[in-house]
Amino acid sequence: MWARSLAVSLVAGAACALAGAVGAGSANADVTPFIVGGEDADQEYSFVVSLQNSGNHFCGGSLIEPEWVLTAAHCVDGSSPGSITGRIGSNDRTQGGEQVRAAEVVVHPDYDPTGAGGDIALVKLSAPAESAPVSLGSGTGAGTQSRLLGWGQTCPERGQCGAPVQLQQLDTQVLTATECSGIDGGTELCTDNPGGDAGACYGDSGGPQVVQAAGGWELIGVTSRSGNGDPVCATGPSIYTSAPAYADWIGRQTGT
């Protein structure tokens, strides 16, 4: 399995050592996905965030308010806010966009590294970002067409390739929850692996699953983990935390 996580610390000499190389001082030592079978992003996504520790990408995130980034709990659980910086609105994880330090980390109280559900967290920024945030979506039913975004590993075997510098995207769809194992169907999304060999991988953790709406994008999912327990990426569907399912909690924390 990708473990409970989909993050990767892109440290020199260990660019693809997903597990055991979690950045930001996370207490979780095994964080996982990169998008396998995707392509370079064909547009700018103002809300996409590369969460970094000392300049090294370790997880993705989504700017949902000028001062708030939504990510996976396993990415930041146990982390010191002072160790986290977000590069926001750039398809290149090494340059561009804007960089803002974190001021606070809020992990959902239901998060359990060994169980389903609750794999969601908020990172409050030290200053409002200028980039345009993404709104939360509402439709998450089976058949919903969506797009995955991330800087995760592009080869399926763990540690067999380096992380892409350019943001990757992959179009896919939401499946019925029964297509994934170990899933909480009320708060998580089972997301297809197109062609049986494409999907999230090590390093994509916390990144967005979005849907098109009114000429823009809305956020429906946060990359969480493998949906079939296989450590080889894209051999089965992926599990994403449903952002709409946690809309009330998000609103209480952010005051919106």
Side-chain angles (χ1 to χ4, degrees):
M1 179 175 183
W2 295 338
R4 178 61 183 181
S5 32
L6 301 175
V8 59
S9 180
L10 303 177
V11 180
C16 224
L18 302 170
V22 180
S26 172
N28 209 339
D30 196 2
V31 197
T32 335
F34 281 9
I35 291 174
V36 174
E39 61 183 4
D40 286 354
D42 63 4
Q43 60 189 274
E44 297 291 328
Y45 298 92
S46 63
F47 56 86
V48 73
V49 181
S50 168
L51 292 177
Q52 301 184 356
N53 178 16
S54 299
N56 298 310
H57 170 86
F58 67 90
C59 269
S62 302
L63 185 72
I64 58 168
E65 296 289 342
E67 288 185 288
W68 292 95
V69 172
L70 190 67
T71 187
H74 73 255
C75 286
V76 295
D77 186 37
S79 299
S80 167
S83 67
I84 302 172
T85 299
R87 185 180 294 278
I88 305 167
S90 175
N91 288 358
D92 185 327
R93 60 176 172 80
T94 66
Q95 62 182 349
E98 54 183 318
Q99 288 184 281
V100 185
R101 285 201 167 275
E104 182 182 357
V105 170
V106 183
V107 173
H108 196 278
D110 290 344
Y111 173 60
D112 177 356
T114 64
D119 191 13
I120 194 167
L122 286 157
V123 176
K124 186 175 184 180
L125 303 176
S126 59
E130 297 180 1
S131 300
V134 64
S135 299
L136 299 188
S138 56
T140 57
T144 299
Q145 300 298 305
S146 64
R147 175 170 290 182
L148 312 181
L149 301 172
W151 285 276
Q153 180 174 311
T154 56
C155 60
E157 295 283 348
R158 181 174 184 159
Q160 294 301 303
C161 64
V165 170
Q166 295 298 315
L167 181 69
Q168 299 293 292
Q169 65 182 41
L170 175 68
D171 290 332
T172 182
Q173 64 177 332
V174 177
L175 303 174
T176 59
T178 55
E179 297 295 318
C180 284
S181 59
I183 188 173
D184 178 348
T187 63
E188 297 180 322
L189 307 177
C190 184
T191 301
D192 195 19
N193 58 319
D197 59 0
C201 194
Y202 299 97
D204 286 321
S205 288
Q209 179 176 14
V210 293
V211 295
Q212 284 192 305
W217 298 97
E218 290 182 344
L219 180 70
I220 63 167
V222 176
T223 317
S224 180
R225 62 194 188 280
S226 164
N228 68 347
D230 194 330
V232 178
C233 302
T235 57
S238 304
I239 294 176
Y240 279 67
T241 300
S242 170
Y246 290 95
D248 288 345
W249 176 78
I250 292 169
R252 290 195 301 273
Q253 301 305 317
T254 61
T256 57

